[in-house]
């Protein structure tokens, strides 16, 4: 029996997205990730406390409140310590990246891959463009420019890959690690927007810094966007051409935590050739699957050193639009 039923597959084809509720297993998928990130926050808070840049380690607070307090003091740019991919701008040989085994195992979760297989077939490649997003309450944001901690503007994922991948059938799996609500900043998207192809995008500049890319204002109408609140453990699947973004986190002290992972059929271009992906599932040649966490982590560390030593890459396509300031 396929992981996604026919109604879900039809919705994905016609509307560009579908929701798989309670797809992830709490004990096997989610809690190991939470434990891993809790240990990471412990280590970082202790280090920053010893360096004198943090007034307290805030060890008595729950994870979300603790992270909010820590980042408010040390700066939101330090969220890169929790990120599971590398940036393109300002990359150094020591730029932080989190490459823990719980993250790797979640990318290979059989429950997740069963659903992905329903959408793209049994030969599955894990794309290198994936993110850990821990959205902080708006009132706690000091820098307010990171789409890892703040609001994500409406865009299409295809705009962030080279043209070689335009027909690679890349899909996004958006994993809810906490409940995602309208209040704490759930995903929003435009159903059916994938049918119109790649739209013009603009660069957003805020306070003199790159704040992300978004579809041009004339492309999207607010009334066409729908919110997608989901419970912890649910997964939203959408295409690389589906216009999507997120709402702001308007709560007082609640984080909204999600991962977005991407997959495509084995053998097709990723559109980001400098960063490593891997074969997550192969029914035809199971020996091609990467099962070793250390090998995956080593690939990323090698890529970091190589990219930091060269010219910064550029993968975003702006459709000839001018840079737009939001100052």
């Amino acid at each position: 029996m396929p992981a996604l039923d026919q109604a879900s597959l039809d919705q994905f084809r016609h509307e560009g997205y579908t929701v798989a509720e309670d797809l992830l297993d709490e004990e096997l998928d989610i809690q190991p990730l939470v434990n891993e990130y809790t240990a990471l926050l412990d280590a970082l808070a202790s280090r920053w406390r010893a360096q004198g840049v943090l007034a307290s380690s805030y060890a008595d607070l729950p994870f979300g409140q603790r992270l909010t307090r820590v980042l408010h003091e040390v700066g939101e740019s330090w969220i890169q310590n929790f990120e599971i991919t590398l940036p393109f701008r300002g990359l150094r040989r020591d730029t932080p990246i989190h490459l823990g085994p719980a993250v790797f195992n979640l990318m290979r979760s059989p429950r997740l891959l069963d659903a992905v297989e329903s959408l793209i077939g049994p030969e599955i490649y894990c794309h290198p463009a994936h993110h850990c997003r821990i959205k902080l309450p708006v009132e706690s944001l000091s820098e307010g420019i990171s789409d890892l901690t703040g609001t994500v503007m409406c865009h299409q994922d295809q705009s962030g890959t080279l043209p070689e991948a335009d027909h690679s059938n890349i899909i996004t799996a958006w994993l809810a690690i906490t409940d995602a609500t309208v209040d704490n900043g759930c995903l929003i998207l435009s159903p059916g927007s994938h049918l119109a192809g790649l739209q013009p995008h603009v660069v957003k500049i805020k306070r003199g810094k790159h704040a992300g890319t978004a579809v041009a204002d004339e492309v999207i109408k607010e009334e066409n966007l729908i919110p997608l609140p989901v419970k912890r453990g649910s997964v939203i699947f959408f295409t690389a051409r589906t216009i999507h973004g997120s709402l702001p986190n308007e709560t007082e002290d609640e984080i909204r935590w999600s991962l977005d992972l991407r997959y495509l059929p084995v053998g097709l271009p990723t559109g980001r050739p400098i960063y490593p992906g891997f074969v997550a599932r192969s029914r035809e040649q199971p020996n091609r699957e990467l099962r070793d966490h250390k090998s995956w982590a080593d690939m990323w560390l090698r890529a970091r050193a190589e990219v930091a030593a060269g010219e910064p890459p550029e993968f975003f396509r702006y459709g000839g639009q001018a840079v737009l300031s939001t100052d």
Side-chain angles (χ1 to χ4, degrees):
M1 181 178 178
L4 299 179
D5 60 23
Q6 191 59 50
S8 297
L9 298 178
D10 290 343
Q11 181 184 38
F12 187 84
R13 183 169 64 254
H14 296 302
E15 299 187 28
Y17 81 99
T18 194
V19 180
E21 297 181 353
D22 301 317
L23 181 66
L24 303 179
D25 184 273
E26 177 68 30
E27 182 178 346
L28 298 177
D29 297 321
I30 298 178
Q31 197 57 49
L33 184 81
V34 172
N35 293 343
E36 184 169 278
Y37 271 81
T38 300
L40 175 60
L41 181 55
D42 284 342
L44 290 170
S46 296
R47 187 179 83 195
W48 291 329
R49 179 77 177 90
Q51 292 172 346
V53 297
L54 196 60
S56 167
S57 64
Y58 303 109
D60 58 325
L61 295 178
F63 178 86
Q65 294 178 28
R66 185 184 187 193
L67 180 66
T68 300
R69 290 289 298 272
V70 168
L71 291 182
H72 184 71
E73 288 191 29
V74 303
E76 287 139 41
S77 61
W78 289 103
I79 195 66
Q80 180 60 39
N81 286 272
F82 300 86
E83 177 62 308
I84 54 179
T85 192
L86 290 167
F88 300 128
R89 298 168 187 84
L91 182 68
R92 309 181 310 273
R93 296 179 70 91
D94 62 348
T95 294
I97 179 173
H98 180 63
L99 300 169
V103 171
F104 178 69
N105 291 337
L106 184 53
M107 292 174 175
R108 299 179 59 254
S109 165
R111 289 154 293 283
L112 180 59
L113 294 182
D114 285 348
V116 172
E117 182 172 341
S118 297
L119 295 170
I120 66 172
E123 304 302 302
I124 302 172
Y125 194 79
C126 187
H127 193 280
H130 31 245
H131 297 283
C132 173
R133 304 186 191 274
I134 305 179
K135 184 187 293 290
L136 306 181
V138 170
E139 291 300 320
S140 72
L141 293 173
S142 56
E143 298 170 12
I145 59 172
S146 173
D147 61 5
L148 299 176
T149 56
T151 303
V152 177
M153 295 171 286
C154 286
H155 66 284
Q156 294 169 297
D157 288 344
Q158 187 183 349
S159 69
T161 57
L162 296 174
E164 67 181 20
D166 281 353
H167 302 289
S168 290
N169 195 21
I170 300 169
I171 65 168
T172 293
W174 192 96
L175 285 57
I177 307 304
T178 61
D179 289 352
T181 68
V182 170
D183 289 339
N184 72 15
C186 68
L187 194 75
I188 56 175
L189 60 71
S190 177
S193 56
H194 65 304
L195 300 175
L198 181 62
Q199 300 298 313
H201 284 62
V202 295
V203 185
K204 299 279 188 172
I205 303 297
K206 188 172 185 179
R207 300 177 194 170
K209 297 182 179 181
H210 187 283
T213 60
V215 290
D217 290 341
E218 65 270 16
V219 170
I220 185 68
K221 295 182 178 179
E222 195 168 319
E223 59 265 27
N224 293 336
L225 294 167
I226 63 169
L228 289 177
V230 291
K231 293 292 186 181
R232 172 183 171 114
S234 298
V235 179
I236 303 171
F237 295 96
F238 52 91
T239 81
R241 294 183 180 178
T242 303
I243 294 175
H244 65 285
S246 72
L247 296 171
N249 183 348
E250 303 284 2
T251 66
E252 291 186 6
D253 59 2
E254 179 183 333
I255 63 168
R256 192 227 69 193
W257 186 359
S258 64
L259 266 61
D260 42 277
L261 311 177
R262 292 172 180 83
Y263 299 91
L264 69 158
V266 171
L268 297 179
T270 67
R272 292 193 178 185
I274 62 166
Y275 285 152
F278 64 90
V279 177
R281 172 175 288 180
S282 175
R283 301 292 193 186
E284 294 181 359
Q285 297 178 280
N287 61 312
R288 298 182 63 192
E289 297 177 7
L290 183 66
R291 301 184 178 94
D292 179 52
H293 157 257
K294 186 177 185 303
S295 296
W296 172 73
D298 287 345
M299 288 192 302
W300 274 102
L301 296 179
R302 287 195 299 270
R304 181 177 65 179
E306 292 170 3
V307 175
E311 291 295 319
E314 185 58 81
F315 295 110
F316 295 92
R317 290 177 277 171
Y318 306 128
Q321 298 295 311
V323 171
L324 177 66
S325 176
T326 59
D327 291 337

